[in-house]
């Protein structure tokens, strides 16, 4: 009875574990995600080359040298075996070397800043993480959306990412890598969807009380449908300018999907550089120029001696 219960529990756990793969990093829908899945599987198998033998030998030795096995050889003077030493050191070293080579190659090939090689021109999407929602600006189409990302299939997407304030992490597990969004900075990410579908996107970095609702849908559609969507977006929605963005930037939880038919030119860069405004003002002020002049008129120092 106990054996049957344990067997059923193990089977249920396996089913739940496999079910959890649906929609995650182990169910990729883009080439970057496929490459990362292969990297995870290869690394796991290489590590299991050590883990599984250790588990098996642990159980075997516990059984072999259990109490009551008086006929086993007792060798209290035994202290060294060249074969055991070779196995204990050589196998892990080889595995670490292989993992090192794989890590080196994958770090360069899966660099999020590296553009994807493809015959089609990439689509540019500017991403802004807000509290607690996502803003997607399409500079080429002149439109924007909140908490919904629509991209064409079989076409690279170049994401330019920044943050209104708090640091977040932009992540679409089925498409590939995640990368942080930071205020006053632009990070980049290159992804592609190889098949149509709806994929979950969210922030993978805790950013406050509304963090749990900071997610969005990514819809991958064919090129014709994407063009129709972009054309429809240009009608019937408002304009995202600086004033409307200031309202949008106010903290809100579980913000609904919202569309904009037009976007002010350079809004993304205004958001990114707004924290530099005081620096630029100070940099251009007469007092600062006077300070620069005074500093320039001071003698420079070389080898502890003043130079005129």
């Amino acid at each position: 009875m106990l054996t049957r219960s344990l067997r059923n529990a193990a089977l249920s756990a396996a089913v739940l574990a496999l079910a959890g793969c649906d929609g995650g990093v182990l169910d990729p829908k883009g080439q970057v995600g496929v490459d990362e899945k292969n990297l995870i599987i290869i690394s796991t198998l290489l590590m299991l080359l050590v883990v599984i033998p250790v588990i098996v030998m642990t159980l075997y030795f516990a059984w072999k040298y259990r109490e009551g096995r008086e006929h086993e050889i007792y060798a209290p003077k035994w202290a060294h075996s060249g074969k055991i030493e070779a196995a204990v050191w050589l196998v892990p070293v080889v595995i670490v070397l292989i993992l090192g080579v794989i890590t080196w190659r994958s770090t360069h090939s899966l660099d999020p800043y590296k553009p994807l090689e493809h015959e089609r021109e990439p689509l540019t999407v500017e991403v802004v993480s807000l509290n607690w929602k996502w803003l997607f600006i399409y500079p080429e189409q002149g439109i924007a959306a909140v908490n919904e990302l629509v991209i064409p299939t079989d076409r690279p997407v170049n994401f330019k990412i920044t943050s209104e304030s708090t640091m977040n992490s932009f992540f679409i597990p089925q498409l590939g890598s995640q990368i942080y969004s930071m205020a006053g900075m632009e990070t980049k990410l290159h992804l592609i969807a190889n098949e149509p579908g709806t994929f979950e996107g969210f922030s993978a970095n805790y950013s406050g009380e509304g963090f749990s609702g900071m997610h969005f849908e990514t819809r991958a559609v064919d090129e014709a449908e994407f063009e129709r969507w972009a054309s429809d977006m240009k009608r019937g929605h408002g304009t995202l300018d600086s004033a409307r963005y200031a309202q949008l930037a106010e903290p809100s939880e579980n913000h609904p999907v919202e569309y904009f038919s037009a976007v002010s030119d350079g809004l993304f860069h205004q958001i990114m550089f707004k924290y530099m405004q005081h620096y630029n003002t100070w940099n251009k002020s007469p007092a600062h120029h006077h300070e620069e002049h005074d500093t320039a008129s001071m003698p420079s120092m070389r080898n502890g001696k003043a130079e005129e």
Side-chain angles (χ1 to χ4, degrees), residues 66-181:
R66 68 188 186 278
E67 186 179 3
R69 300 273 291 183
E70 291 84 0
H71 62 279
E72 293 294 342
I73 299 175
Y74 176 64
K77 300 296 184 182
W78 182 88
H80 178 75
S81 171
K83 295 180 180 179
I84 294 177
E85 289 287 341
V88 167
W89 289 101
L90 187 60
V91 174
V93 167
V94 171
I95 292 176
V96 169
L97 289 175
I98 295 174
L99 285 173
V101 173
I102 293 174
T103 301
W104 174 267
R105 296 180 60 182
S106 62
T107 298
H108 290 83
S109 63
L110 296 174
D111 182 359
Y113 275 60
K114 181 181 178 181
L116 301 178
E117 296 181 1
H118 203 274
E119 65 272 9
R120 299 180 63 184
E121 287 294 321
L123 170 71
T124 299
V125 179
E126 297 170 340
V127 183
V128 183
S129 62
L130 306 167
N131 290 333
W132 287 273
K133 47 194 169 284
W134 293 95
L135 171 64
F136 302 100
I137 301 173
Y138 297 77
E140 298 163 1
Q141 290 73 24
I143 57 178
V146 177
N147 283 343
E148 184 180 76
L149 173 64
V150 180
I151 58 175
T153 56
D154 294 319
R155 180 180 176 184
V157 182
N158 296 351
F159 293 100
K160 297 180 178 180
I161 306 169
T162 191
S163 175
E164 162 64 22
S165 57
T166 309
M167 184 171 67
N168 281 280
S169 181
F170 179 74
F171 191 25
I172 309 173
Q174 289 183 273
L175 296 186
S177 307
Q178 64 173 308
I179 196 164
Y180 286 102
S181 64

Side-chain angles (χ1 to χ4, degrees), residues 257-275:
V257 175
E258 189 175 358
Y259 303 112
F260 298 95
S261 298
V263 180
S264 297
D265 292 338
L267 179 62
F268 178 79
H269 290 91
Q270 293 176 22
I271 297 169
M272 186 171 62
F273 288 116
K274 71 175 185 176
Y275 295 105

Side-chain angles (χ1 to χ4, degrees), residues 4-22:
R4 183 181 302 174
S5 300
L6 292 174
R7 182 184 62 188
N8 292 336
L11 181 60
S12 300
V15 171
L16 289 174
L18 292 175
C21 297
D22 184 27

Side-chain angles (χ1 to χ4, degrees), residues 131-133 209-213 250-256:
N131 290 333
W132 287 273
K133 47 194 169 284
E209 58 183 340
F211 162 76
S212 60
E250 292 294 324
S252 62
E253 297 184 32
N254 300 309
H255 194 89

